[in-house]
Amino acid sequence: MRHAGLRHGLAAALGCLCLACPAQEAPPTVGAKAEAEGEPAAAPARESEPAPEPAPAPEPEPEPAPAPELELAFVGDIIYGRYRDSGFDPIVEGELPPFAAMAAALEADLSFANLETPVVETLPEKSPSHADYRFGASRAMAQSLVDAGFDAVSIANNHHNDQREAGHRETPQILADLGIVAAGAARAEAPAFRFETLEYQGWRVAFGAATTKLNMPLDEPPPHLPWAKTEDLLAMIEGPLREARASHDLVIVSLHWGQEYTDDPSVRQKRAARALVEAGADLVFGHHPHVLQGIESHEGGVIAYSMGNFLFENAGPVPKLTGVLHLRYTRSAGRPCLSAARFDPAVITRKPYPHPEPAEGRSGTQVRDRLQTLSRRLGTAWRENADDGSMHMELPQCAGAPHAEPAEASEQVGGEDPQGE
Ligand SMILES: [Zn+2]
């Protein structure tokens, strides 16, 4: 979130997180009561000495007008370290802020990430899991999510079991304490898939997360993550999605899925993502392959099949290429209109420790080329803003949009885009 001071307003608005809860109501009674008690019923009789001024009644907070626009930001996988035979090996040492270099690129009203690691109060010395790759983060490490302004994270992913029961129990609690919404928590009771609600300046945003990947047997006792095979995602999500659509301005579905280190999503993934958009999702926010894949426009929605890494020790030539996806929505008579989709290229650098920074020069070109090439295979074109190196998706202009994209938006893109499969 752009303004740190507003975080508390968001946290207060997040008191109701389940879809079935009634909409949060502003508490006007407090202000109204104070006014009634503080205001004298009639002016006091005048005496020679002026009566002491009654204590001014606090002004009731006026209901703010809904913001005309909302900007959301999304990044890929975040981990804080992994277990080796010698013990936990942190990515970020000491007090170094891992996201500081990305502060400007992360500016948005609400920002989201995939938190690919459970969070526990204190990391045990030895891994409680025997999986090949075992991650973890302490409460102190997760504080950097707050410092970077992240508002919500998906925790439905294959590493959520890496701290076993403590991770299931403590991750949602610690994130809630930090004021961060966690979507996709493991639950003992059905339904596993649920939407959380974020409220910001009159906007209601539903955020749900599911995974097709688990580093644990399916027959483990509860709690269970919201898991389904790719071809069964729609069946699990469609009902809650249609309900969320009716009670929210925007609906985001986070999916941990796909094949690691592949350039393109599978046919099944494309089919599932497009069906979710057609059922009402504004964004399918994908991750797990550890590389950036194409970002597609589909029937007014956006599909980011894999956002790649964001804070990750793998800084190889392709896994290091990443960025921040910004979606700006404008209020309109019906559903909000997607008025801008921007991608700020970033790169994971190794020095003094792996962390993301804006991609400039050669790495900026590599990120832009990758995004453009892989998105074109999906039938979507992006254009570069030569001034700052950001990428912009070709979109139809919103009717009555206050900040419609300038006409030069369509300059560099021809009509040769291949049809997506
Ligand atoms: Zn994963």
Side-chain angles (χ1 to χ4, degrees):
M1 186 183 298
R2 185 180 293 134
H3 309 292
L6 292 173
R7 171 167 299 284
H8 299 293
L10 173 73
L14 291 172
C16 167
L17 289 179
C18 71
L19 192 58
C21 295
Q24 194 81 13
E25 286 182 20
T29 48
V30 176
K33 185 163 182 285
E35 185 181 50
E37 287 174 354
E39 284 285 328
R46 289 277 168 205
E47 294 176 16
S48 54
E49 284 190 17
E53 284 282 317
E59 285 287 320
E61 285 281 319
E63 194 70 36
E69 291 190 320
L70 185 73
E71 183 156 326
L72 309 180
F74 299 88
V75 304
D77 301 331
I78 291 176
I79 71 166
Y80 287 88
R82 73 174 56 193
Y83 282 91
R84 304 190 190 282
D85 291 343
S86 53
F88 189 74
D89 181 13
I91 285 184
V92 181
E93 302 272 12
E95 301 295 309
L96 293 170
F99 306 115
M102 295 301 295
L106 285 171
E107 276 197 10
D109 297 320
L110 295 172
S111 52
F112 301 74
N114 173 52
L115 183 59
E116 183 91 46
T117 169
V119 184
V120 291
E121 293 290 347
T122 307
L123 283 168
E125 282 185 24
K126 291 286 176 193
S127 169
S129 158
H130 300 291
D132 289 345
Y133 298 102
R134 298 149 294 169
F135 302 157
S138 65
R139 176 190 281 263
M141 293 170 183
Q143 175 64 35
S144 68
L145 296 169
V146 180
D147 299 340
F150 285 107
D151 299 288
V153 295
S154 57
I155 58 174
N157 54 58
N158 52 314
H159 286 283
H160 188 67
N161 194 46
D162 288 2
Q163 295 289 327
R164 309 294 292 175
E165 296 79 8
H168 296 161
R169 189 176 61 249
E170 294 179 22
T171 303
Q173 185 59 56
I174 292 172
L175 291 170
D177 291 348
L178 295 174
I180 294 174
V181 175
R187 295 179 188 279
E189 69 290 347
F193 182 87
R194 306 177 193 198
F195 281 99
E196 313 293 336
T197 297
L198 290 93
E199 296 192 55
Y200 183 83
Q201 295 194 355
W203 289 74
R204 284 171 56 78
V205 179
F207 180 45
T211 182
T212 68
K213 308 289 179 184
L214 289 177
N215 290 356
M216 57 191 287
L218 281 173
D219 57 0
E220 286 264 309
H224 291 138
L225 286 173
W227 171 89
K229 291 180 185 171
T230 302
E231 56 269 38
D232 296 331
L233 286 168
L234 183 66
M236 178 170 72
I237 298 173
E238 186 174 13
L241 171 55
R242 291 191 188 278
E243 278 185 54
R245 181 74 268 163
S247 55
H248 293 76
D249 300 294
L250 298 170
V251 182
I252 298 157
V253 177
S254 167
L255 296 178
H256 201 69
W257 66 346
Q259 193 69 36
E260 290 188 349
Y261 304 106
T262 55
D263 288 342
D264 301 296
S266 69
V267 171
R268 281 198 181 108
Q269 283 181 276
K270 288 186 267 190
R271 197 177 290 142
R274 290 167 185 170
L276 287 166
V277 167
E278 288 158 20
D282 293 286
L283 170 70
V284 173
F285 166 44
H287 29 80
H288 176 67
H290 298 306
V291 290
L292 176 68
Q293 295 181 341
I295 303 180
E296 172 184 355
S297 164
H298 178 72
E299 297 199 3
V302 174
I303 303 164
Y305 287 96
S306 170
M307 288 294 295
N309 296 327
F310 196 64
L311 181 63
F312 218 86
E313 64 180 16
N314 186 342
V318 177
K320 73 177 182 181
L321 306 177
T322 184
V324 186
L325 173 65
H326 287 258
L327 301 179
R328 191 169 70 208
Y329 293 90
T330 303
R331 281 205 179 275
S332 60
R335 254 170 85 166
C337 175
L338 177 64
S339 47
R342 186 180 93 234
F343 188 89
D344 291 333
V347 62
I348 296 176
T349 182
R350 293 180 194 271
K351 299 275 175 71
Y353 54 89
H355 70 281
E357 64 179 22
E360 289 162 357
R362 185 159 166 267
S363 41
T365 304
Q366 289 175 324
V367 177
R368 282 187 292 275
D369 286 352
R370 182 171 177 86
L371 177 69
Q372 184 73 290
T373 301
L374 299 182
S375 300
R376 277 180 183 270
R377 292 183 193 167
L378 301 161
T380 294
W382 295 75
R383 67 175 171 86
E384 179 185 351
N385 179 334
D387 291 337
D388 63 5
S390 62
M391 298 291 279
H392 298 256
M393 187 187 275
E394 296 295 298
L395 293 171
Q397 189 169 313
C398 292
H403 302 297
E405 288 290 290
E408 44 106 353
S410 54
E411 260 173 23
Q412 296 177 10
V413 177
E416 80 280 18
D417 307 331
Q419 279 297 309
E421 146 302 323

